[in-house]
Amino acid sequence: MASADTAAPRGAARLLAAPLSLLMRLVDWPMSALQRLIGERRMAYVFLLPNIVFFGLFVFLPLIINVVFSVTGGTELFPSQRPFVGGEQYAYLFDCGSFLDPNSCREDHFWRGVANTARFTVFQVTAMVLFSLVTAVVLNMRIKARGFFRAVYFFPVLLSPVVVALTWKWILQRDGLLNAGITSLGGERILFLVDPSWAMFWIVFVSVWAHMGFYTLILLAGLQAIPADLYEAAEMDATPRWRVFWRITLPLLWPNMIVVIVLALIKGVQTFDEVFVLTGGGPGTATLMVVHYIYETAFSNQVQNFGLAAAASVVLGIVLFALTLAQLAASNRKGAA
């Protein structure tokens, strides 16, 4: 009976072997000829070429075009039709009496977006890292239905940000599910997305809820890579759990923490989808973010100012690059210590 069970897979393997062998010969002939022509060392560039072309067309070329647009003016779309203005767009953005007071700036909406983005990023990244760390530690323990809970926490990551925002908007709007529950208990409706303080809280909450599973997974992988011998030695020495966490878990988890902090920071500064759907930047400009400002300036306003939007995006890119370098430098110093 066992031989009959194994006969079918072996027969299928023989049937597939001939076409696969032919396919490998067809691929091997041009690759071998190319290797003889350019040499074995240069073959690595051949395999890298598709990625280089992809990044060149969809990353580096748009980046160059964006920088070109940032030093041009006018309302025309094609660069050849746009006059060169040098740094005027940047000067207009940074024309402020005080950078801490958006009302003193010529382009006050940009600086309101900067202030809102900074506030959102601080709260969102802090909450994201803390909740992801606690969740990862709990899911790393020997608890019942651990696999189920891991899947549950990761599930929101699989959803589109727009779907997440629409779902929570249905819950939080004036006649939404949450207010229906409040009024059924005799309370009054709360304008969660209209009150400025509530609006900022809820976009932070929704963002953490939607993306926490991804960062939890990174930290969980780091926790599982820590040798169990260290914990066993600490248990034999009757070391308190908080000290084990502080002296063993956290230092060994630090490289993963840096990855989480950097990724969450970049994601927080670039946030757009959830905020756009939930509040549209409102009420007023209470939740207007920098990326939302760039979108409105380039595409949504009646007068489309591509140059100003491009300058704002260049500034945003420089800030992100500087923040990433600072985070990596801090990580290297801690690793060296």
Side-chain angles (χ1 to χ4, degrees), residues 96-107:
C96 284
S98 172
F99 293 114
L100 299 177
D101 181 14
N103 292 324
S104 67
C105 302
R106 289 183 65 186
E107 190 59 17

Side-chain angles (χ1 to χ4, degrees), residues 205-320:
F205 174 86
V206 171
S207 180
V208 171
W209 181 89
H211 304 290
M212 188 182 72
F214 174 71
Y215 303 106
T216 299
L217 189 65
I218 296 175
L219 295 177
L220 185 59
L223 288 171
Q224 293 178 342
I226 298 175
D229 298 345
L230 298 175
Y231 293 112
E232 291 174 1
E235 186 176 355
M236 291 176 64
D237 292 338
T239 308
R241 286 190 176 183
W242 67 268
R243 193 173 182 83
V244 171
F245 177 79
W246 190 257
R247 293 295 186 181
I248 297 177
T249 304
L250 205 56
L252 294 178
L253 194 62
W254 184 248
N256 297 73
M257 289 284 290
I258 287 296
V259 172
V260 167
I261 292 171
V262 171
L263 292 179
L265 192 65
I266 293 173
K267 177 67 178 176
V269 174
Q270 292 179 328
T271 191
F272 173 72
D273 312 66
E274 292 99 338
V275 180
F276 182 77
V277 175
L278 273 173
T279 65
T285 57
T287 58
L288 178 70
M289 303 295 169
V290 173
V291 177
H292 192 176
Y293 164 83
I294 293 170
Y295 165 77
E296 284 191 342
T297 303
F299 305 109
S300 183
N301 290 345
Q302 187 173 3
V303 178
Q304 298 174 334
N305 195 333
F306 301 114
L308 190 63
S313 63
V314 169
V315 172
L316 178 63
I318 293 172
V319 170
L320 282 173

Side-chain angles (χ1 to χ4, degrees), residues 15-66:
L15 290 174
L16 290 173
L20 285 175
S21 177
L22 177 62
L23 179 62
M24 293 303 295
R25 289 197 200 98
L26 292 175
V27 173
D28 180 68
W29 180 81
M31 297 302 289
S32 299
L34 182 62
Q35 181 174 322
R36 288 192 297 270
L37 180 65
I38 67 175
E40 186 176 348
R41 289 189 173 182
R42 294 188 179 92
M43 283 299 292
Y45 297 104
V46 175
F47 294 104
L48 289 174
L49 186 61
N51 279 337
I52 293 173
V53 171
F54 179 85
F55 277 95
L57 288 176
F58 298 103
V59 177
F60 297 117
L61 182 60
L63 186 63
I64 293 170
I65 293 174
N66 190 72

